Amino acid sequence: MASGLSPQTEPLYHWDIYAVLYAPQEVYFGHETQVNVNLIETVILPDGSERVYLSPTKRRGVERRELLYAAVERDGKHFFLTDLLDCGIPNTCGDENCPICRVYGALVTEKKGGRERTTFIGRLTHGGGVAIPGLEPLEKQRAMHPSNLRRESGEEPQPFKRQYGAPGLLFPVYNHVLSASEKEFRPVAYAFLKSLPRLGAGNPKGLDFYEDGEFGPYLVLDRYKAPLGRRVVLPPTLKDPGEALAEFRRRAADAPQGEALFRRYQGKEALEELRRLAEAFVSQDLPDLAMPKGSK
Ligand SMILES: [Zn+2]
């Protein structure tokens, strides 16, 4: 098959997740290894303003890691999925039965251990992440403390500057999956929900769905064969949180009702549906997962 995947008996749909996330604390998105640089990720908009940025590429990496560290029980032993499948980052397993590689994609350049491996195109894409409102990142002094050994030799704490996104920033984010069965989408639902406490580098970290009494959690889930609903994607030029949330609600309402080719869930209903899919991944798919040929 040109796709690298065998045909399935379950129907295929396109899927979209749209959400507005908020940070309950200052949040930092840099690389943990950049101890002395510590610049938060930012983007420059066409009007020249600088915005805090939750990179879609990093979200993808966090989600993939959430799946790799899902817990699986086999014969009374508890495995991380990464060890059971011998699938990791960047060494993707490329096994057709791997629930991660099937959707997130795999790049395989060698045949290993007699296992059938191949390259799959990733069918999941990530977008959004430009923070609202248009605040510039905060710069703060932090002290870097010397180890006990260096302290004994009279070394003092070293001040260094670190950038943070202010608490309360809103991050509109989007995940799209191209032609996947419900079963293939379940790990995506699991990873999307499970990644929320781990978004951001270092400490502090963690985001959640923005919520109000009118809309509930700012979350929309589409499952469709034909793209009949308005995409709930916010223009990054919006700076006012109230305007951005109103635009999210306006777009969410722009979708057909009772249409066989397009189903939209929003607010609490969307969250319930994602939870149902995540639960099925953990309680049905992980226990059923075939041990790959040639693994321990
Ligand atoms: Zn894999």
Side-chain angles (χ1 to χ4, degrees), residues 86-105:
D86 195 14
C87 181
I89 301 173
N91 297 314
T92 51
C93 75
D95 189 297
E96 193 180 350
N97 295 316
C98 172
I100 309 171
C101 289
R102 280 188 76 91
V103 184
Y104 282 75

Side-chain angles (χ1 to χ4, degrees), residues 2-5 60 64 68 85-110 115-124:
S3 67
L5 296 165
R60 180 189 184 84
R64 192 160 190 148
L68 290 171
L85 296 172
D86 195 14
C87 181
I89 301 173
N91 297 314
T92 51
C93 75
D95 189 297
E96 193 180 350
N97 295 316
C98 172
I100 309 171
C101 289
R102 280 188 76 91
V103 184
Y104 282 75
L107 181 66
V108 175
T109 49
E110 51 169 336
R115 276 168 68 184
E116 200 62 51
R117 287 153 181 268
T118 186
T119 293
F120 309 129
I121 293 300
R123 282 174 286 156
L124 167 62

Side-chain angles (χ1 to χ4, degrees), residues 16-22 29 53-56 59 63 125-132 170-176 192 195-196 199 207-210 218-220 231-234 248:
D16 280 288
I17 300 172
Y18 305 98
V20 177
L21 305 178
Y22 74 96
F29 293 109
Y53 188 49
L54 171 57
S55 139
R59 268 199 319 114
E63 286 182 9
T125 45
H126 294 73
V130 177
I132 302 164
L170 300 179
F171 298 93
V173 299
Y174 325 110
N175 285 16
H176 170 70
F192 181 75
S195 68
L196 296 176
L199 290 176
L207 305 177
D208 196 11
F209 301 113
Y210 182 82
Y218 274 67
L219 179 66
V220 168
R231 301 201 70 219
V232 194
V233 171
L234 303 183
F248 188 95

